[in-house]
Amino acid sequence: QVQLVQSGAEVKKPGASVKVSCKASGYIFTGYYMHWVRQAPGQGLEWMGWINPNSGGTNYAQNFQGRVTMTRDTSISTAYMELSRLRSDDTAVYYCARVGTHYDSSGSPTDAFDIWGQGTMVTVSS
Amino acid sequence: SSELTQDPAVSVALGQRVRITCQGDSLRSYYVSWYQQKPGQAPVLVIYGKNYRPSGIPDRFSGSSSGNTASLTITGAQAEDEADYYCNSRESSGNSWVFGGGTKLTVL
């Protein structure tokens, strides 16, 4: 079945980096953009950015520019999100999500974050 | 950057209809999608586009939009619908996305 499986929980010290993986299966990896979303404890969802697995092109949310890098390895259908210079407020669950985009008759895009990974807890603590 | 605004909390009596709203300037240009999240679980897509439901989502969930406001309606709310609901859409640039702050739905 279609699924995204993420790497396990991480504990990092402030200033360090973390790299989370997201392995796709059950569909053509290069056919859908992969987005990353995080959720701090007790808080809402925060969009971080996307990667086009086909081209490797990326776009990052302004809040993360300069600290986040999204990459992929098409040979193993896996996307990665690396966040550097970690702070305590980066403590959160990080999700990858497959996004399908269709265009209606007027050319307007319809996006659906239709498959989500199980989430990876990243704790930043000294 | 664009923002999407949701009421923090909404309640509904069991079996009644409830509407959860999402406001934002970008909604005049882009469709919204809606996600249900239960404690300790990843979000689940419930509505996207004009008013599409993924396979497995009950037909009591529906979506609509007018101007800068989108709505998720649950007709005949069930106890299992108690969850946080988030709206999501593209920002005005069209190349970035944003989530609303979320609405906690309580079924009484």
Side-chain angles (χ1 to χ4, degrees):
Chain A
Q1 75 278 26
V2 177
Q3 63 178 352
L4 300 174
V5 178
Q6 299 183 220
S7 49
E10 303 264 11
V11 179
K12 296 291 183 181
K13 293 193 181 303
S17 297
V18 68
K19 191 171 186 177
V20 179
S21 68
C22 170
K23 183 170 178 58
S25 60
Y27 72 98
I28 298 173
F29 177 64
T30 53
Y32 295 81
Y33 282 37
M34 193 72 77
H35 292 232
W36 290 86
V37 177
R38 78 175 185 179
Q39 186 171 37
Q43 302 301 308
L45 302 174
E46 182 178 19
W47 181 79
M48 298 181 68
W50 56 255
I51 181 168
N52 177 347
N54 190 38
S55 66
T58 56
N59 186 51
Y60 305 138
Q62 204 162 9
N63 285 350
F64 299 98
Q65 290 201 6
R67 286 207 304 143
V68 71
T69 304
M70 296 177 188
T71 57
R72 90 293 189 215
D73 183 339
T74 57
S75 69
I76 55 172
S77 300
T78 299
Y80 303 92
M81 186 284 300
E82 183 170 22
L83 190 62
S84 63
R85 303 195 300 278
L86 289 168
R87 310 183 294 250
S88 58
D89 62 359
D90 291 318
T91 293
V93 176
Y94 289 77
Y95 294 101
C96 57
R98 183 185 87 163
V99 177
T101 297
H102 304 279
Y103 293 84
D104 66 14
S105 55
S106 65
S108 295
T110 294
D111 307 303
F113 289 57
D114 62 352
I115 304 294
W116 293 67
Q118 82 276 18
T120 296
M121 182 70 210
V122 175
T123 302
V124 182
S125 174
S126 55
Chain B
S1 63
S2 302
E3 289 186 355
L4 297 178
T5 301
Q6 298 182 241
D7 291 328
V10 171
S11 61
V12 61
L14 185 68
Q16 296 304 300
R17 183 170 67 183
V18 62
R19 179 172 294 176
I20 297 170
T21 61
C22 175
Q23 286 190 303
D25 287 342
S26 65
L27 301 186
R28 297 183 186 277
S29 304
Y30 297 105
Y31 290 114
V32 73
S33 53
W34 290 93
Y35 302 85
Q36 177 193 71
Q37 187 181 34
K38 296 181 179 179
Q41 299 183 18
V44 172
L45 174 69
V46 293
I47 291 288
Y48 66 101
K50 285 183 181 177
N51 183 17
Y52 302 120
R53 278 178 292 105
S55 173
I57 301 302
D59 60 5
R60 62 179 179 272
F61 289 88
S62 63
S64 62
S65 185
S66 177
N68 73 335
T69 302
S71 301
L72 172 70
T73 299
I74 307 174
T75 303
Q78 302 299 303
E80 61 264 32
D81 299 334
E82 188 163 288
D84 294 326
Y85 290 85
Y86 294 91
C87 60
N88 171 270
S89 185
R90 295 189 185 215
E91 292 187 337
S92 300
S93 69
N95 206 25
S96 296
W97 275 254
V98 62
F99 284 92
T103 297
K104 182 176 182 60
L105 176 67
T106 300
V107 180
L108 304 171

